[in-house]
Amino acid sequence: MIVRILGEGQFNLPGAAIDELNDIDNRMVEAVESEDRDALHSLLLEMESLVREKGEPIPLDELVESDLILPETDLTLEEAESIFVGEGLLPG
């Protein structure tokens, strides 16, 4: 899965890490539903860290379509409400 971190670049995230990413995504949905701003911010940072640590950076001169674009870590709860509803960023 190709994941873009805005302002930083793209990463090729191996399949083994997608379940972890989905778990964080599911917890983000719960944080938004409970209006927990601190948890949301922490989970956004956790998601970015996971992608950086387990993903392989894609060279900047290589054009690849992203499967997922992570939101900014300063995302407000109000902005998150439109993104993290239902299944969140990742279906399933």
Side-chain angles (χ1 to χ4, degrees):
M1 169 181 275
I2 306 300
V3 180
R4 175 177 295 282
I5 297 177
L6 292 175
E8 189 167 329
Q10 293 178 298
F11 295 81
N12 187 355
L13 191 65
I18 294 174
D19 286 341
E20 290 178 69
L21 192 65
N22 194 43
D23 177 61
I24 297 169
D25 183 52
N26 290 337
R27 289 186 285 147
M28 282 185 181
V29 170
E30 292 171 8
V32 170
E33 288 174 353
S34 64
E35 298 184 358
D36 188 338
R37 293 182 197 312
D38 293 334
L40 174 65
H41 180 69
S42 176
L43 290 164
L44 285 167
L45 292 173
E46 186 178 340
M47 186 175 270
E48 277 195 5
S49 291
L50 172 75
V51 172
R52 280 190 204 99
E53 291 170 13
K54 300 204 173 177
E56 181 70 32
I58 295 175
L60 295 175
D61 60 348
E62 189 174 324
L63 297 176
V64 181
E65 185 175 346
S66 299
D67 298 306
L68 177 65
I69 299 173
L70 299 186
E72 300 279 348
T73 56
D74 64 351
L75 184 74
T76 67
L77 188 57
E78 293 73 23
E79 292 167 330
E81 287 174 347
S82 67
I83 298 171
F84 295 99
V85 293
E87 295 183 335
L89 290 174
L90 299 167

